[in-house]
Amino acid sequence: MDKSQLTINPKEVRYIKLGEGGRWAHQSFDQGVLSFGYHSVPHECCEAKDWEAVRTHLEDRKSVGAQTAGVNEVKAFYELGEECLWITFADGNMFWSFAKPSVKWVGDETGDGPSRIRMTVGGWRSSDVNGRPLRIAELSSKLTKVGKYRATVCTVSERDYLLRRINGIEEPIVVRANGIRQEMIATAVDMIRGLDWAHFETLTDLIFARSGWQRSTRVGEDIADLDLVVEHPTTNETAFVQVKSRAGQATLDDYLERFRRSRYDRFFFVCHSADGALSLPPGANLHLFEGERLADAAVKNGLFDWLVERSA
């Protein structure tokens, strides 16, 4: 990864669980703090960096390994400086921040709240440097799986991926995939323009069928004003579909007026070859399928191979 591209380029990266099950997350975000538990471990031992003394306060743990893990977590909270990036997960988002090195004992002996905190530098953020939300559903499980670990503090193995996401840098494989997809769409545009009328009508029918629409009429059936009526069983919407081999703006406007006089919920105008630029007025129920948008719909619905076969 080219580090010159990184606005955020920390020396260290750690995941922190803000309380059991993240129960301190909201107060941590609101107060702009890094919250930590380990209520049985005295603040003075940690401030003195007496890690063997810290270990004696963890002797109730079942194994030496578990005690060592606990010491390492406390040590990380106290010793990692302002150059460490901290991340956590809450409310369907990834949050990140840096923290000032000073640790403050807040002394909640009940265990309901944190025992100690560090002030963050500029608060917690849940978006990348460009303001795009860092939603867990849109992040790789290679990163988000760290939130499922039982540990309170742990290293983040997917450091490079994390930093690309925080810095708003697109994944190399995504860049490659998008380039291939654009080539597929451009090729699909040319293949669609090479279809005869019968195959073009069939393509239109397949796109609607694979999108969940069901026909109320046969393709090309002789119905005044429109070519195809489709229904969506989930939304109970009906749609007015007009399919044209060639059309200009005047033809599109004519059919739009016919739709407005009809009882249908949506209007689709599907054009094989447009005579000039075509456009529809703003409207969530008005759809124009031609050129790249039509090719995109074909590719999304798994019809690329179908187009190849019809172009052979």
Side-chain angles (χ1 to χ4, degrees):
M1 180 169 58
D2 183 358
K3 293 185 177 180
S4 66
Q5 295 179 285
L6 301 180
T7 303
I8 305 299
N9 187 20
K11 183 178 179 181
E12 302 280 352
V13 179
R14 292 293 187 276
Y15 164 80
I16 184 167
K17 193 185 301 293
L18 298 173
E20 186 177 356
R23 60 190 175 130
W24 302 332
H26 290 161
Q27 76 178 73
S28 298
F29 301 153
D30 292 342
Q31 297 172 8
V33 299
L34 209 62
S35 299
F36 195 69
Y38 280 81
H39 297 75
S40 66
V41 177
H43 179 56
E44 293 74 20
C45 295
C46 305
E47 285 281 273
K49 298 185 179 180
D50 187 348
W51 306 122
E52 285 306 313
V54 168
R55 182 183 293 274
T56 65
H57 290 280
L58 298 174
E59 289 180 347
D60 59 333
R61 296 200 167 195
K62 295 180 179 180
S63 66
V64 173
Q67 292 171 12
T68 300
V71 170
N72 289 338
E73 290 185 7
V74 176
K75 187 176 180 181
F77 189 80
Y78 275 82
E79 290 195 339
L80 290 172
E82 199 168 318
E83 69 281 359
C84 178
L85 172 70
W86 298 87
I87 68 166
T88 196
F89 302 102
D91 299 334
N93 295 300
M94 183 184 78
F95 290 77
W96 61 275
S97 186
F98 292 88
K100 295 179 181 179
S102 178
V103 178
K104 179 181 178 181
W105 176 262
V106 291
D108 187 332
E109 302 295 346
T110 67
D112 291 336
S115 66
R116 64 207 85 198
I117 60 172
R118 288 173 60 176
M119 297 301 300
T120 60
V121 179
W124 288 94
R125 295 179 59 177
S126 59
S127 59
D128 67 18
V129 296
N130 300 317
R132 180 180 175 181
L134 293 167
R135 298 187 179 93
I136 293 174
E138 297 172 0
L139 298 173
S140 171
S141 60
K142 293 186 296 182
L143 171 64
T144 59
K145 69 181 181 182
V146 72
K148 298 178 181 178
Y149 295 163
R150 297 183 63 183
T152 301
V153 174
C154 56
T155 58
V156 177
S157 60
E158 294 298 321
R159 173 194 170 98
D160 287 352
Y161 171 78
L162 169 66
L163 295 184
R164 283 195 294 270
R165 293 308 303 260
I166 288 177
N167 284 280
I169 300 170
E170 200 167 22
E171 284 298 291
I173 191 65
V174 174
V175 173
R176 180 184 171 197
N178 285 338
I180 293 171
R181 191 174 189 284
Q182 285 303 312
E183 289 184 19
M184 288 181 67
I185 291 173
T187 303
V189 168
D190 292 338
M191 290 192 291
I192 289 171
R193 287 175 178 162
L195 294 177
D196 62 26
W197 177 242
H199 281 152
F200 183 67
E201 282 189 321
T202 301
L203 173 67
T204 301
D205 188 37
L206 288 170
I207 289 173
F208 279 99
R210 295 190 181 189
S211 300
W213 293 91
Q214 297 178 352
R215 287 176 293 163
S216 295
T217 64
R218 297 193 307 273
V219 180
E221 185 174 317
D222 187 16
I223 303 175
D225 294 336
L226 75 162
D227 284 331
L228 183 65
V229 176
V230 292
E231 299 176 354
H232 202 291
T234 303
T235 63
N236 292 321
E237 291 179 296
T238 58
F240 175 121
V241 182
Q242 184 62 42
V243 186
K244 287 292 181 184
S245 58
R246 300 196 70 88
Q249 187 63 44
T251 302
L252 173 56
D253 292 342
D254 175 41
Y255 279 98
L256 177 58
E257 285 305 311
R258 298 187 199 192
F259 161 72
R260 286 173 168 162
R261 295 193 299 267
S262 75
R263 57 183 173 80
Y264 302 106
D265 301 305
R266 291 186 177 272
F267 173 69
F268 290 90
F269 192 87
V270 185
C271 183
H272 181 285
S273 301
D275 291 328
L278 300 180
S279 65
L280 283 170
N285 65 334
L286 305 178
H287 310 275
L288 173 61
F289 280 51
E290 61 96 17
E292 285 194 4
R293 186 171 181 193
L294 178 59
D296 181 69
V299 171
K300 283 181 177 176
N301 283 286
L303 291 165
F304 189 83
D305 287 345
W306 184 93
L307 286 169
V308 171
E309 291 170 2
R310 300 310 177 283
S311 302

